[in-house]
Amino acid sequence: MTFPNEKKMYLSKQDKSRKGDIDQKVIPVLETINSKDNYYTTSSCSGRVYLWTGTGKKNETEWLKVSHELIDEKFFEIQSQKGLVWLRVEPFILHVACNDLEAANQLLGKARQIYKKSCLLSASNKILIEIRGSELVEMPLYLDGKLLYQGNLSWLVQLVNEKLQRMWEGMEKFKKTI
């Protein structure tokens, strides 16, 4: 199959993410990349914050609360929960299929100006790159319903929101770069 046909077929597929639809904040970046002949996006997240419990393995993790927007202290309020509850902030991430290695290297060069952790994921069947931010936070927050964090919750809210804002500013800068 040719790259243009593969791109057309892939972009017509239904979203299969856990969220079920595309983050509004990442759509301008997706549209910019998908408008270029040599690229199409395969998955993305504008950045999110969530509370989770479980083993950490994808099929053994329960998301208690999730936000792709700024949060307030109410975000940290949960019903009594057995076991360990984690707070996690995940950075902007984007997977892009590229027509060839030259196109992949060109986009990676631009991405790495902003996102140092960007890399080539695959060069076998499909040339796939990952563009990834570095604004990660992960910490235990509750144990058996008891808050473990002893600091000021408004400071933690501010930290999370600053990281989210940085992600969104980085996406806007990246969109302008490409």
Side-chain angles (χ1 to χ4, degrees), residues 92-111:
F92 164 69
I93 188 168
L94 179 63
H95 291 151
V96 181
C98 305
N99 189 30
D100 54 34
L101 281 174
E102 182 180 342
N105 282 325
Q106 286 176 354
L107 188 56
L108 271 175
K110 292 177 181 179

Side-chain angles (χ1 to χ4, degrees), residues 6-13 34 39-42:
E6 184 180 304
K7 177 178 179 174
K8 184 177 180 182
M9 186 177 78
Y10 197 90
L11 293 178
S12 68
K13 288 183 179 182
N34 290 328
Y39 309 105
Y40 66 90
T41 58
T42 62

Side-chain angles (χ1 to χ4, degrees), residues 6-153:
E6 184 180 304
K7 177 178 179 174
K8 184 177 180 182
M9 186 177 78
Y10 197 90
L11 293 178
S12 68
K13 288 183 179 182
Q14 185 177 356
D15 187 338
K16 295 179 185 174
S17 67
R18 181 183 275 194
K19 183 175 180 260
D21 60 1
I22 297 171
D23 303 343
Q24 293 299 306
K25 287 183 173 39
V26 79
I27 289 175
V29 174
L30 302 182
E31 289 174 341
T32 300
I33 290 173
N34 290 328
S35 72
K36 310 233 180 267
D37 292 338
N38 287 325
Y39 309 105
Y40 66 90
T41 58
T42 62
S43 66
S44 64
C45 180
S46 64
R48 63 182 162 218
V49 56
Y50 59 97
L51 302 178
W52 67 274
T53 188
T55 66
K57 293 179 182 176
K58 194 171 190 173
N59 60 343
E60 298 174 359
T61 298
E62 179 186 358
W63 288 10
L64 304 174
K65 286 189 175 180
V66 181
S67 179
H68 289 82
E69 301 294 332
L70 298 178
I71 63 166
D72 59 24
E73 288 185 30
K74 289 179 185 174
F75 183 82
F76 296 120
E77 295 173 4
I78 61 169
Q79 298 297 319
S80 184
Q81 182 76 33
K82 284 262 189 210
L84 195 55
V85 174
W86 291 81
L87 164 65
R88 183 170 173 97
V89 178
E90 290 184 340
F92 164 69
I93 188 168
L94 179 63
H95 291 151
V96 181
C98 305
N99 189 30
D100 54 34
L101 281 174
E102 182 180 342
N105 282 325
Q106 286 176 354
L107 188 56
L108 271 175
K110 292 177 181 179
R112 286 184 178 146
Q113 294 172 21
I114 302 163
Y115 303 109
K116 307 294 183 212
K117 295 181 181 256
S118 299
C119 64
L120 180 66
L121 282 183
S122 170
S124 54
N125 298 5
K126 186 185 297 188
I127 299 170
L128 197 63
I129 64 171
E130 178 179 81
I131 299 166
R132 179 183 207 76
S134 57
E135 298 86 358
L136 180 69
V137 173
E138 187 162 39
M139 61 183 270
L141 194 63
Y142 286 94
L143 180 60
D144 294 328
K146 182 179 181 226
L147 185 64
L148 296 172
Y149 177 70
Q150 297 298 309
N152 185 325
L153 270 183

